[in-house]
Amino acid sequence: MNHSNASDSGTDVKRMSTEMIESQPVTAAASRDQRVFTKVVGRKFHEDGSVRHFPGNTIICPVDPTSAVNALLVRLVGQFRKLSCSRSFTLLPPSSYHMTVIQGVCEDDRKPQLWTSFLPLDAPLEETDRLFREKWETVHVPDGFNLKFDYLHTGGVALTVNLQPLTEDDAQKLKVFRNEVSDKLGLRFPDHDDYRFHLSIGYRIVELTEEEEEELLGFKEQTERELEEHFGIYASMPPQLVFFKDMFKFADSR
């Protein structure tokens, strides 16, 4: 499988690639004017929008930084930065862009439905790392998956480009892989059977005003029209077991 993401319009992708923004993450503005924080504050981010220690592990398909889809995401973020409401978000660095295939565990989420069934809830996170590395060696890892654009999700705390399998065969391939990982790693989250695949590009730190919500809705409608035309096929890289300290970096070690 070709692991570079492909757009249907080479000319448009080339133009978008030349407009790539700086790769540094952007954090939400520090001044909050007594506005209401979202649920990611105190969890994944601090009140000023800076990233918070939030260690865990997960299985992802990283976005190839040289791909057409990466260029589209970077251009999308560049357009989003121009909005007034963007000051209420923390935008992720492009180096962290990925599609989660199946969630692992997080230090802060020690509940039976969010933890591996093979270890007690008070087991050190490092013990889950060791177990998952061992079990991962027995997993049949596919070359990647084919997905297409579904919609831009702006209504929650995460700003995401949502995806759907390209064909029924692709959907079955994802299902088989997720079920195998679920069985071998002892993971079965409540949303296992209806998980929505997505590419996260930012997080909402404070709730928006009515005017900002209207601005965001207009951005969503315009962006969806553009992505429906230019997104093409997301031919992912192979899934990887990765480890993280926070939401800015996912790698083979923490």
Coordinates of all heavy atoms in Angstrom, one line a residue, residues 178-244:
R178 N -9.2 -3.8 15.1 CA -9.6 -3.3 16.4 C -10.1 -4.4 17.4 O -9.7 -4.4 18.6 CB -10.7 -2.2 16.3 CG -10.3 -0.9 15.8 CD -11.4 0.1 15.5 NE -12.4 0.1 16.6 CZ -12.3 0.9 17.7 NH1 -11.2 1.6 17.9 NH2 -13.3 0.9 18.6
N179 N -10.8 -5.4 16.9 CA -11.2 -6.5 17.7 C -10.0 -7.3 18.2 O -10.0 -7.8 19.3 CB -12.2 -7.3 17.0 CG -13.6 -6.7 16.9 OD1 -13.9 -5.8 17.6 ND2 -14.4 -7.2 16.0
E180 N -9.1 -7.5 17.3 CA -7.9 -8.3 17.6 C -7.1 -7.6 18.7 O -6.7 -8.2 19.7 CB -7.0 -8.6 16.4 CG -5.7 -9.4 16.8 CD -4.8 -9.6 15.7 OE1 -5.0 -9.1 14.6 OE2 -3.7 -10.3 15.9
V181 N -6.9 -6.3 18.6 CA -6.1 -5.5 19.6 C -6.9 -5.5 20.9 O -6.3 -5.6 22.0 CB -5.9 -4.1 19.1 CG1 -5.3 -3.2 20.2 CG2 -5.0 -4.1 17.9
S182 N -8.2 -5.3 20.8 CA -9.1 -5.3 22.0 C -8.9 -6.6 22.8 O -8.7 -6.6 24.0 CB -10.5 -5.2 21.6 OG -11.4 -5.3 22.7
D183 N -8.9 -7.8 22.1 CA -8.8 -9.1 22.8 C -7.4 -9.2 23.3 O -7.2 -9.7 24.5 CB -9.1 -10.2 21.8 CG -10.5 -10.2 21.3 OD1 -11.4 -9.7 22.1 OD2 -10.8 -10.8 20.3
K184 N -6.3 -8.9 22.6 CA -5.0 -9.2 23.0 C -4.5 -8.2 24.1 O -3.6 -8.6 24.9 CB -4.0 -9.2 21.8 CG -4.3 -10.4 20.9 CD -3.3 -10.6 19.8 CE -3.5 -11.9 19.0 NZ -2.6 -12.0 17.9
L185 N -5.0 -7.0 24.1 CA -4.5 -6.0 25.1 C -5.5 -5.8 26.2 O -5.3 -5.1 27.1 CB -4.3 -4.6 24.4 CG -2.9 -4.4 23.8 CD1 -2.5 -5.4 22.7 CD2 -2.7 -3.0 23.3
G186 N -6.6 -6.5 26.1 CA -7.6 -6.4 27.2 C -8.3 -5.1 27.3 O -8.6 -4.6 28.4
L187 N -8.6 -4.5 26.1 CA -9.2 -3.2 26.1 C -10.6 -3.3 25.4 O -10.7 -3.8 24.3 CB -8.3 -2.2 25.3 CG -6.9 -2.0 25.8 CD1 -6.1 -1.2 24.8 CD2 -7.0 -1.2 27.1
R188 N -11.6 -2.7 26.1 CA -12.9 -2.7 25.4 C -13.7 -1.5 26.0 O -14.4 -1.6 26.9 CB -13.7 -4.0 25.8 CG -15.0 -4.2 25.0 CD -14.7 -4.7 23.6 NE -16.0 -4.9 22.9 CZ -16.0 -5.5 21.7 NH1 -14.9 -6.0 21.2 NH2 -17.2 -5.6 21.1
F189 N -13.4 -0.4 25.3 CA -14.0 0.9 25.8 C -15.5 0.9 25.4 O -16.0 0.2 24.5 CB -13.3 2.1 25.1 CG -12.0 2.4 25.7 CD1 -11.3 1.4 26.5 CD2 -11.4 3.6 25.6 CE1 -10.1 1.7 27.0 CE2 -10.2 3.9 26.2 CZ -9.5 3.0 26.9
P190 N -16.3 1.7 26.1 CA -17.8 1.8 25.9 C -18.1 2.1 24.4 O -19.2 1.6 24.0 CB -18.2 2.9 26.8 CG -17.3 2.8 28.0 CD -15.9 2.5 27.3
D191 N -17.3 2.8 23.7 CA -17.6 3.2 22.3 C -16.9 2.3 21.3 O -16.8 2.6 20.1 CB -17.2 4.7 22.1 CG -15.7 4.9 22.2 OD1 -15.0 4.0 22.7 OD2 -15.3 6.0 21.8
H192 N -16.5 1.1 21.7 CA -15.7 0.2 20.9 C -16.5 -0.1 19.5 O -15.8 0.0 18.5 CB -15.4 -1.1 21.6 CG -14.6 -2.0 20.7 ND1 -13.3 -2.0 20.7 CD2 -15.0 -3.1 19.9 CE1 -12.8 -2.9 19.8 NE2 -13.9 -3.6 19.4
D193 N -17.7 -0.3 19.6 CA -18.5 -0.7 18.4 C -18.9 0.4 17.5 O -19.4 0.2 16.4 CB -19.7 -1.6 18.8 CG -19.3 -2.9 19.3 OD1 -18.2 -3.5 18.9 OD2 -20.0 -3.4 20.2
D194 N -18.8 1.7 18.0 CA -19.3 2.8 17.2 C -18.3 4.0 17.3 O -18.6 5.1 17.2 CB -20.7 3.3 17.6 CG -20.8 3.6 19.1 OD1 -19.8 3.5 19.8 OD2 -21.9 3.9 19.5
Y195 N -17.0 3.6 17.4 CA -15.9 4.6 17.5 C -15.8 5.4 16.2 O -15.9 4.8 15.1 CB -14.6 4.0 17.8 CG -13.4 4.9 17.9 CD1 -13.2 5.6 19.1 CD2 -12.5 5.1 16.9 CE1 -12.2 6.5 19.2 CE2 -11.5 6.0 17.0 CZ -11.3 6.7 18.2 OH -10.3 7.6 18.3
R196 N -15.7 6.7 16.3 CA -15.6 7.6 15.1 C -14.1 8.0 14.9 O -13.5 8.6 15.7 CB -16.4 8.9 15.3 CG -17.9 8.6 15.4 CD -18.7 9.9 15.5 NE -20.1 9.6 15.5 CZ -20.9 9.5 14.4 NH1 -20.3 9.6 13.2 NH2 -22.2 9.3 14.6
F197 N -13.6 7.6 13.8 CA -12.2 7.9 13.4 C -12.1 9.4 13.1 O -12.9 10.0 12.4 CB -11.7 7.0 12.3 CG -11.8 5.6 12.6 CD1 -12.9 4.8 12.0 CD2 -10.9 4.9 13.4 CE1 -13.0 3.4 12.3 CE2 -11.0 3.6 13.7 CZ -12.0 2.8 13.1
H198 N -11.0 10.0 13.5 CA -10.8 11.4 13.3 C -9.3 11.8 13.4 O -8.5 11.0 13.8 CB -11.6 12.2 14.4 CG -11.1 11.9 15.8 ND1 -11.7 10.8 16.5 CD2 -10.2 12.5 16.6 CE1 -11.1 10.8 17.7 NE2 -10.2 11.7 17.7
L199 N -9.0 13.0 12.9 CA -7.7 13.7 13.0 C -7.9 14.9 13.9 O -8.6 15.8 13.5 CB -7.2 14.0 11.6 CG -7.1 12.9 10.6 CD1 -6.9 13.5 9.2 CD2 -6.0 11.9 11.0
S200 N -7.3 14.9 15.1 CA -7.5 16.1 15.9 C -6.5 17.2 15.6 O -5.3 16.9 15.3 CB -7.3 15.7 17.4 OG -8.2 14.8 17.8
I201 N -7.0 18.4 15.6 CA -6.1 19.5 15.2 C -6.1 20.6 16.4 O -5.2 21.5 16.3 CB -6.5 20.2 13.9 CG1 -7.9 20.7 13.9 CG2 -6.2 19.3 12.7 CD1 -8.4 21.4 12.7
G202 N -7.0 20.5 17.3 CA -6.9 21.4 18.4 C -8.0 21.1 19.5 O -8.8 20.2 19.3
Y203 N -7.9 21.8 20.6 CA -8.8 21.6 21.7 C -9.4 23.0 22.2 O -8.6 24.0 22.3 CB -8.1 20.9 22.9 CG -7.9 19.5 22.7 CD1 -6.8 19.0 22.0 CD2 -8.8 18.5 23.1 CE1 -6.5 17.7 21.8 CE2 -8.6 17.2 22.9 CZ -7.5 16.7 22.3 OH -7.3 15.4 22.1
R204 N -10.6 23.0 22.5 CA -11.3 24.2 23.0 C -11.0 24.3 24.5 O -11.2 23.4 25.3 CB -12.8 24.1 22.8 CG -13.6 25.3 23.2 CD -15.1 25.1 23.0 NE -15.5 24.6 21.7 CZ -16.7 25.0 21.1 NH1 -17.5 25.8 21.8 NH2 -17.0 24.5 20.0
I205 N -10.4 25.5 24.9 CA -10.0 25.7 26.3 C -11.1 26.4 27.1 O -11.3 26.1 28.3 CB -8.7 26.5 26.4 CG1 -7.6 25.7 25.6 CG2 -8.2 26.7 27.8 CD1 -7.3 24.3 26.0
V206 N -11.7 27.4 26.5 CA -12.8 28.1 27.2 C -14.0 28.0 26.2 O -13.9 27.9 25.0 CB -12.5 29.5 27.5 CG1 -11.4 29.6 28.5 CG2 -12.1 30.3 26.3
E207 N -15.2 28.1 26.8 CA -16.4 28.1 26.0 C -16.6 29.4 25.2 O -16.1 30.5 25.6 CB -17.7 28.0 27.0 CG -17.7 26.7 27.8 CD -17.9 25.4 26.9 OE1 -18.1 25.6 25.7 OE2 -17.8 24.3 27.5
L208 N -17.2 29.3 24.1 CA -17.3 30.4 23.2 C -18.5 31.3 23.5 O -19.5 30.8 24.0 CB -17.3 29.9 21.7 CG -16.2 29.0 21.2 CD1 -16.4 28.7 19.7 CD2 -14.8 29.6 21.5
T209 N -18.4 32.5 23.0 CA -19.6 33.4 23.1 C -20.5 33.1 21.9 O -20.1 32.3 21.0 CB -19.2 34.9 23.0 OG1 -18.6 35.1 21.7 CG2 -18.1 35.3 24.0
E210 N -21.7 33.6 21.9 CA -22.6 33.4 20.9 C -22.1 33.8 19.5 O -22.2 33.1 18.5 CB -24.0 34.1 21.2 CG -25.0 33.8 20.1 CD -26.4 34.4 20.5 OE1 -26.6 34.8 21.7 OE2 -27.2 34.6 19.6
E211 N -21.4 35.0 19.5 CA -20.8 35.5 18.3 C -19.7 34.6 17.8 O -19.6 34.3 16.6 CB -20.3 36.9 18.5 CG -21.4 38.0 18.8 CD -21.9 37.9 20.2 OE1 -21.3 37.2 21.0 OE2 -22.9 38.6 20.4
E212 N -18.9 34.1 18.7 CA -17.8 33.2 18.3 C -18.4 31.8 17.8 O -17.8 31.3 16.9 CB -16.9 32.9 19.5 CG -16.1 34.2 19.9 CD -15.3 34.0 21.2 OE1 -15.8 33.2 22.1 OE2 -14.2 34.6 21.3
E213 N -19.4 31.4 18.4 CA -20.0 30.1 17.9 C -20.5 30.3 16.5 O -20.4 29.4 15.6 CB -21.2 29.7 18.8 CG -20.8 29.2 20.2 CD -20.2 27.8 20.1 OE1 -20.0 27.2 19.0 OE2 -20.0 27.2 21.2
E214 N -21.1 31.5 16.2 CA -21.6 31.7 14.8 C -20.4 31.8 13.8 O -20.5 31.3 12.7 CB -22.4 33.1 14.8 CG -23.7 33.0 15.5 CD -24.4 34.3 15.6 OE1 -23.9 35.3 15.0 OE2 -25.5 34.4 16.1
E215 N -19.3 32.4 14.3 CA -18.1 32.5 13.4 C -17.6 31.1 13.2 O -17.2 30.8 12.0 CB -17.0 33.3 14.2 CG -15.8 33.5 13.4 CD -14.7 34.2 14.1 OE1 -14.5 33.9 15.4 OE2 -13.9 35.0 13.6
L216 N -17.6 30.3 14.2 CA -17.1 28.9 14.0 C -18.0 28.1 13.1 O -17.5 27.3 12.3 CB -17.0 28.2 15.4 CG -16.4 26.8 15.4 CD1 -15.0 26.8 14.9 CD2 -16.4 26.3 16.9
L217 N -19.3 28.3 13.2 CA -20.2 27.6 12.3 C -19.9 28.0 10.8 O -19.9 27.1 10.0 CB -21.6 27.9 12.7 CG -22.7 27.3 11.8 CD1 -22.6 25.7 11.8 CD2 -24.1 27.7 12.3
G218 N -19.7 29.2 10.6 CA -19.4 29.7 9.2 C -18.1 29.1 8.7 O -18.0 28.6 7.6
F219 N -17.1 29.0 9.6 CA -15.9 28.3 9.2 C -16.1 26.8 8.9 O -15.5 26.3 7.9 CB -14.9 28.5 10.4 CG -13.6 27.7 10.2 CD1 -12.6 28.3 9.3 CD2 -13.3 26.5 10.8 CE1 -11.4 27.6 9.1 CE2 -12.1 25.8 10.6 CZ -11.2 26.4 9.8
K220 N -16.9 26.2 9.7 CA -17.2 24.8 9.5 C -17.8 24.5 8.1 O -17.4 23.7 7.4 CB -18.1 24.3 10.6 CG -18.7 22.9 10.4 CD -19.7 22.5 11.5 CE -20.6 21.3 11.1 NZ -19.7 20.1 11.1
E221 N -18.8 25.3 7.8 CA -19.5 25.2 6.5 C -18.6 25.4 5.3 O -18.6 24.6 4.4 CB -20.7 26.1 6.5 CG -21.8 25.7 7.5 CD -22.9 26.8 7.6 OE1 -22.7 27.9 7.1 OE2 -23.9 26.5 8.3
Q222 N -17.8 26.4 5.4 CA -16.9 26.7 4.3 C -15.8 25.6 4.2 O -15.5 25.2 3.1 CB -16.2 28.1 4.5 CG -15.2 28.5 3.5 CD -15.7 28.6 2.1 OE1 -16.9 29.0 1.9 NE2 -14.9 28.3 1.1
T223 N -15.3 25.2 5.3 CA -14.2 24.2 5.3 C -14.7 22.9 4.8 O -14.0 22.2 4.1 CB -13.6 24.1 6.7 OG1 -13.1 25.4 7.1 CG2 -12.5 23.0 6.7
E224 N -15.9 22.5 5.2 CA -16.4 21.2 4.7 C -16.6 21.2 3.2 O -16.3 20.2 2.6 CB -17.8 20.9 5.4 CG -17.6 20.5 6.9 CD -18.9 20.2 7.6 OE1 -19.9 20.7 7.2 OE2 -18.8 19.4 8.6
R225 N -17.0 22.3 2.7 CA -17.1 22.4 1.2 C -15.8 22.2 0.6 O -15.6 21.5 -0.5 CB -17.7 23.7 0.8 CG -19.2 23.8 1.1 CD -19.8 25.0 0.4 NE -19.3 26.3 0.9 CZ -19.9 27.0 1.9 NH1 -21.0 26.5 2.4 NH2 -19.4 28.1 2.3
E226 N -14.7 22.8 1.1 CA -13.4 22.7 0.6 C -12.8 21.2 0.7 O -12.2 20.7 -0.2 CB -12.5 23.7 1.2 CG -12.8 25.1 1.0 CD -11.9 26.1 1.7 OE1 -11.0 25.6 2.5 OE2 -12.1 27.3 1.5
L227 N -13.0 20.7 1.9 CA -12.5 19.3 2.1 C -13.2 18.3 1.3 O -12.6 17.3 0.9 CB -12.5 19.0 3.6 CG -11.6 19.8 4.5 CD1 -11.7 19.4 6.0 CD2 -10.2 19.7 4.0
E228 N -14.5 18.4 1.1 CA -15.3 17.5 0.3 C -14.7 17.5 -1.1 O -14.7 16.4 -1.8 CB -16.7 17.9 0.3 CG -17.5 17.5 1.6 CD -18.8 18.1 1.7 OE1 -19.2 18.8 0.7 OE2 -19.5 17.9 2.7
E229 N -14.2 18.6 -1.6 CA -13.6 18.7 -2.9 C -12.2 18.2 -3.0 O -11.8 17.6 -4.0 CB -13.7 20.1 -3.4 CG -13.2 20.3 -4.8 CD -13.3 21.7 -5.3 OE1 -13.9 22.6 -4.6 OE2 -12.9 22.0 -6.5
H230 N -11.4 18.5 -2.0 CA -10.0 18.3 -2.1 C -9.3 17.2 -1.2 O -8.2 16.9 -1.4 CB -9.2 19.7 -1.7 CG -9.6 20.8 -2.6 ND1 -9.4 20.8 -4.0 CD2 -10.2 22.0 -2.3 CE1 -9.8 22.0 -4.5 NE2 -10.3 22.7 -3.5
F231 N -10.1 16.7 -0.3 CA -9.5 15.8 0.7 C -9.0 14.5 0.0 O -7.9 14.0 0.3 CB -10.4 15.4 1.8 CG -9.8 14.7 3.0 CD1 -9.2 15.5 4.0 CD2 -9.8 13.3 3.1 CE1 -8.6 14.8 5.1 CE2 -9.2 12.7 4.1 CZ -8.6 13.4 5.1
G232 N -9.8 13.9 -0.9 CA -9.3 12.7 -1.5 C -9.3 11.5 -0.6 O -10.2 11.4 0.3
I233 N -8.4 10.6 -0.8 CA -8.3 9.4 0.0 C -7.1 9.5 1.0 O -6.0 9.9 0.7 CB -8.0 8.2 -0.9 CG1 -9.2 8.0 -1.8 CG2 -7.8 6.9 0.0 CD1 -8.9 6.9 -2.9
Y234 N -7.5 9.2 2.3 CA -6.4 9.2 3.3 C -5.9 7.7 3.4 O -6.6 6.9 3.9 CB -7.0 9.6 4.6 CG -6.1 9.4 5.8 CD1 -4.7 9.7 5.8 CD2 -6.6 8.9 7.0 CE1 -3.9 9.5 6.8 CE2 -5.8 8.7 8.1 CZ -4.4 9.0 8.0 OH -3.6 8.7 9.1
A235 N -4.8 7.4 2.8 CA -4.2 6.1 2.8 C -3.2 6.2 4.0 O -2.1 6.7 3.8 CB -3.5 5.8 1.5
S236 N -3.6 5.6 5.1 CA -2.8 5.8 6.3 C -1.5 5.0 6.3 O -1.3 4.1 5.6 CB -3.7 5.4 7.5 OG -3.6 4.0 7.7
M237 N -0.6 5.5 7.2 CA 0.5 4.7 7.5 C 0.1 3.5 8.4 O -1.0 3.5 8.9 CB 1.6 5.5 8.3 CG 2.1 6.7 7.5 SD 3.2 7.8 8.4 CE 4.6 6.7 8.7
P238 N 0.9 2.5 8.6 CA 0.6 1.3 9.4 C 0.3 1.8 10.8 O 1.0 2.7 11.3 CB 1.8 0.4 9.3 CG 2.5 0.8 8.1 CD 2.3 2.3 7.9
P239 N -0.6 1.1 11.5 CA -0.8 1.4 13.0 C 0.4 1.1 13.8 O 1.1 0.2 13.5 CB -2.0 0.6 13.3 CG -2.0 -0.5 12.3 CD -1.5 0.0 11.1
Q240 N 0.6 2.0 14.8 CA 1.7 1.8 15.7 C 1.3 1.9 17.2 O 0.4 2.7 17.5 CB 2.7 3.0 15.5 CG 3.3 3.1 14.1 CD 4.2 4.3 13.9 OE1 4.6 4.9 14.8 NE2 4.4 4.6 12.6
L241 N 1.9 1.2 18.0 CA 1.7 1.3 19.5 C 2.7 2.5 19.9 O 3.9 2.4 19.7 CB 2.1 0.1 20.2 CG 2.2 0.1 21.7 CD1 0.8 0.4 22.4 CD2 2.8 -1.2 22.3
V242 N 2.1 3.5 20.5 CA 2.9 4.7 20.9 C 2.6 5.1 22.3 O 1.6 4.6 22.9 CB 2.6 5.9 20.0 CG1 3.1 5.6 18.5 CG2 1.2 6.3 20.0
F243 N 3.5 5.9 22.9 CA 3.4 6.4 24.3 C 3.6 7.9 24.3 O 4.2 8.5 23.4 CB 4.6 5.7 25.0 CG 4.6 4.2 24.8 CD1 5.3 3.6 23.8 CD2 3.9 3.4 25.7 CE1 5.3 2.3 23.6 CE2 3.9 2.0 25.5 CZ 4.6 1.5 24.4
F244 N 2.9 8.5 25.3 CA 2.9 10.0 25.3 C 2.9 10.5 26.8 O 2.5 9.8 27.7 CB 1.7 10.5 24.6 CG 0.4 10.0 25.0 CD1 -0.3 10.7 26.0 CD2 -0.2 8.9 24.5 CE1 -1.6 10.2 26.5 CE2 -1.4 8.4 24.9 CZ -2.1 9.1 25.9

